[in-house]
């Protein structure tokens, strides 16, 4: 997909006829609808400067009554190894395990690297089409690609810098010790562009939870990075890894709030009591969960995690690649899926589900008070053809404009 927007304004300017949510409508103390009104918004130096009463006669950019929402954030994706932009390819039944996939990657990476910059840009454009302006993206660190996946990803992001931002996770997709990736991880950890140290199934790939987790934790501490590990393992090894990482976060306050377990499928196999106990521990260690909201046989206990204050991040993970073909690139679709899976069907519950696309920012708080946007907020917004957040989630409404750091892009 080509970039779907045209740059309309940057720097200092104003918008008029912007629809904002201002509260809830109630009947017998139950939320039955969402109140909105039109406003004028002033943008300055990448921030929202003022939110004022609407002035339809002003010489400002006309937002045409579209609903303004916080721009979306995809917190787990692999921009570096998508097949998006290439001919359709479903998954092969021959590759059943992670180790099978590692062997396959070792074969195909050299050829894929030749076009990885343009394919990453096309995937970014797809995400922007759906209103995403920020991602946390993992990139391969392995002996086959060396640092090339990172270099190509950084070039794609540089080409998109006006309209898109990312934080980067060094991901040892082929294991830390299963292949000779430890020296490369140490090299990547020294780079200022890398914000997180990744990991992969330490027991099933590298044969040791402690050795791999100790390496990962120490690398993060030594270089002031966060941690975001892939953990597909279920059962005893999966829970041992989660608890080991929680213990390390509790021991090292510098890791709290910036340590995450991606996937964490083991959580979906716990009893309700075990889920509550683990959620309480995750919250105590300020260890978050990043999920693509899988639902093959089991569903993740997202409501329980949220109940205990665990930071739950949502992402597309794979968008048409050789690991999965189901990622759409649409964060509203993820919020919609969560609403369907967990029964969030009312106006109030649907409005709360928007947080899974924006990563916690909501226009109206739980009591119906307007809390976004305010002067000083980041000028990262979408304009969507919806009457309210609940409708945007339920109908996955079309995005008409995207703003990143005050740069406004309107759909072509």
């Amino acid at each position: 997909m080509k970039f779907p927007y045209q740059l309309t304004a940057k720097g200092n300017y104003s918008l008029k006829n912007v629809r904002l949510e201002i509260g809830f409508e109630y009947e017998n103390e139950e939320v039955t609808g969402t109140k909105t009104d039109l406003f004028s918004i002033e943008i300055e130096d990448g921030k929202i400067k003022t939110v004022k009463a609407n002035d339809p006669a002003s010489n400002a950019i006309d937002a045409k009554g579209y609903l303004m929402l916080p721009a979306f954030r995809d917190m787990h994706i692999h921009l570096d190894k998508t097949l998006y932009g290439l001919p359709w390819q479903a998954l092969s039944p021959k590759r059943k395990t992670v180790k099978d996939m590692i062997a396959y990657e070792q074969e195909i990476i050299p050829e894929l690297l030749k076009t990885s910059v343009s394919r990453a840009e096309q995937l970014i454009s797809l995400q922007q089409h759906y209103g995403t302006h920020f991602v946390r993206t993992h990139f391969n660190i392995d002996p086959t690609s060396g640092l090339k996946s990172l270099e190509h990803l950084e070039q794609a992001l540089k080409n998109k810098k006006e309209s898109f931002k990312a934080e980067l996770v060094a991901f040892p997709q082929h294991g830390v010790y299963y292949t000779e990736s430890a020296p490369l991880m140490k090299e990547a950890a020294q780079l200022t562009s890398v914000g997180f140290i990744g990991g992969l199934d330490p027991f099933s790939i590298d044969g040791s939870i402690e050795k791999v987790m100790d390496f990962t934790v120490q690398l993060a501490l030594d270089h002031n990075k966060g941690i975001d590990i892939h953990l597909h393992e279920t059962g005893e090894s999966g829970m041992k890894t989660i608890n080991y990482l929680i213990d390390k976060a509790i021991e090292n306050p510098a890791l709290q709030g910036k340590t995450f377990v991606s996937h964490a499928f083991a959580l979906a196999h716990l009893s309700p009591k075990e889920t509550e106990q683990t959620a309480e521990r995750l919250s105590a260690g300020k260890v978050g969960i990043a999920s693509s909201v899988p639902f093959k046989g089991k569903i993740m206990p997202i409501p329980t995690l949220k109940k205990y204050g665990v930071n739950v991040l949502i992402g597309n993970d794979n968008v048409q690649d050789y690991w999965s073909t189901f990622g759409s690139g649409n964060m509203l679709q993820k919020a919609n899926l969560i609403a369907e899976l967990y029964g969030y069907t009312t106006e109030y519950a649907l409005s709360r589900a928007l947080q899974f696309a924006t990563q916690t920012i909501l226009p109206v708080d739980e009591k119906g008070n307007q809390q976004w946007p305010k002067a000083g907020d980041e000028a990262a917004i979408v304009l969507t053809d919806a009457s309210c957040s609940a409708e945007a989630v339920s109908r996955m409404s079309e995005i008409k404009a995207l703003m990143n750091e005050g740069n406004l892009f309107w759909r072509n």
Side-chain angles (χ1 to χ4, degrees):
M1 171 178 284
K2 293 182 179 179
F3 186 56
Y5 302 101
Q6 182 176 355
L7 180 62
T8 301
K10 62 188 302 185
N12 303 336
Y13 59 93
S14 295
L15 299 169
K16 64 183 180 181
N17 298 323
V18 178
R19 185 167 303 281
L20 296 178
E21 295 179 329
I22 58 174
F24 291 129
E25 298 172 353
Y26 294 90
E27 185 175 315
N28 298 325
E29 298 185 351
E30 290 187 354
V31 174
T32 58
T34 303
K35 297 177 183 177
T36 66
D37 204 348
L38 297 179
F39 291 83
S40 290
I41 308 289
E42 190 176 0
I43 306 297
E44 183 177 272
D45 298 329
K47 302 286 185 181
I48 293 173
K49 183 181 180 183
T50 60
V51 180
K52 299 185 294 188
N54 192 42
D55 182 3
S58 67
N59 184 25
I61 296 169
D62 189 356
K64 303 177 182 179
Y66 291 130
L67 179 69
M68 177 171 147
L69 297 174
F72 307 144
R73 299 163 67 92
D74 185 323
M75 301 305 289
H76 185 108
I77 196 166
H78 298 261
L79 293 177
D80 67 320
K81 55 184 182 181
T82 180
L83 298 181
Y84 190 74
L86 297 176
W88 164 254
Q89 179 182 319
L91 302 192
S92 168
K94 297 178 182 179
R95 298 185 287 275
K96 301 181 183 299
T97 68
V98 174
K99 287 187 175 180
D100 291 341
M101 294 301 294
I102 290 172
Y104 181 61
E105 280 203 355
Q106 289 169 333
E107 292 178 16
I108 65 174
I109 280 174
E111 186 64 26
L112 287 177
L113 281 171
K114 296 177 183 178
T115 58
S116 62
V117 175
S118 63
R119 284 183 290 103
E121 288 187 45
Q122 289 184 71
L123 179 51
I124 291 169
S125 291
L126 177 70
Q127 292 192 286
Q128 292 176 307
H129 171 84
Y130 292 121
T132 291
H133 85 114
F134 181 95
V135 301
R136 178 183 294 173
T137 179
H138 301 249
F139 63 90
N140 265 36
I141 288 289
D142 60 76
T144 304
S145 59
L147 297 181
K148 287 293 183 184
S149 288
L150 171 60
E151 292 168 6
H152 291 191
L153 175 59
E154 288 182 320
Q155 183 59 55
L157 291 169
K158 182 180 179 181
N159 295 343
K160 289 278 193 175
K161 64 182 180 181
E162 281 196 332
S163 59
F164 198 77
K165 294 189 294 186
E167 56 188 19
L168 309 184
V169 187
F171 176 38
Q173 174 70 84
H174 301 171
V176 174
Y177 301 109
Y178 183 66
T179 61
E180 292 294 324
S181 296
L184 288 165
M185 288 294 291
K186 291 178 180 178
E187 189 175 350
Q190 298 177 48
L191 301 173
T192 56
S193 61
V194 175
F196 291 81
I197 306 301
L200 172 71
D201 297 340
F203 183 76
S204 62
I205 300 301
D206 284 314
S208 172
I209 294 171
E210 293 82 1
K211 182 180 180 180
V212 176
M213 286 295 93
D214 287 348
F215 171 84
T216 303
V217 167
Q218 196 59 52
L219 202 57
L221 290 171
D222 288 346
H223 298 281
N224 193 28
K225 308 293 186 184
I227 294 173
D228 191 338
I229 66 165
H230 284 62
L231 185 64
H232 309 96
E233 297 172 11
T234 58
E236 184 180 1
S237 66
M239 287 311 303
K240 276 188 174 181
T241 302
I242 291 171
N243 282 310
Y244 196 86
L245 194 55
I246 293 171
D247 289 341
K248 290 297 181 182
I250 291 173
E251 293 170 14
N252 299 279
L255 297 177
Q256 295 176 19
K258 57 180 188 178
T259 295
F260 298 84
V261 183
S262 284
H263 304 310
F265 295 152
L267 299 180
H269 296 263
L270 299 178
S271 70
K273 183 178 180 180
E274 291 170 329
T275 302
E276 300 244 355
Q277 291 171 340
T278 302
E280 192 170 18
R281 291 203 73 225
L282 286 163
S283 182
K286 297 182 180 178
V287 175
I289 300 296
S291 179
S292 59
V293 202
F295 55 98
K296 184 179 180 181
K298 300 280 187 179
I299 61 172
M300 292 293 294
I302 289 175
T304 302
L305 295 173
K306 295 290 290 183
K307 172 186 170 184
Y308 280 87
V310 178
N311 189 9
V312 178
L313 305 179
I314 303 299
N316 276 278
D317 193 12
N318 312 100
V319 178
Q320 192 186 322
D321 66 18
Y322 41 86
W323 290 85
S324 173
T325 60
F326 293 118
S328 67
N330 186 350
M331 290 306 298
L332 273 182
Q333 186 265 338
K334 287 296 180 183
N336 177 283
L337 173 61
I338 288 171
E340 184 174 6
L341 285 175
Y342 303 108
Y344 300 158
T345 57
T346 65
E347 177 85 4
Y348 178 80
L350 284 166
S351 76
R352 303 301 89 188
L354 181 70
Q355 69 183 283
F356 297 108
T358 64
Q359 311 304 332
T360 74
I361 306 172
L362 291 172
V364 175
D365 70 16
E366 293 183 356
K367 296 182 179 180
N369 301 309
Q370 186 182 24
Q371 61 182 3
W372 180 94
K374 295 188 183 307
D377 285 345
E378 179 186 13
I381 64 103
V382 293
L383 296 175
T384 183
D385 189 10
S387 64
C388 61
S389 295
E391 181 184 4
V393 169
S394 184
R395 295 183 172 177
M396 294 179 280
S397 301
E398 183 181 8
I399 304 301
K400 296 294 187 178
L402 171 69
M403 184 186 296
N404 174 69
E405 295 185 328
N407 300 321
L408 177 64
F409 299 86
W410 204 275
R411 183 171 296 285
N412 292 325

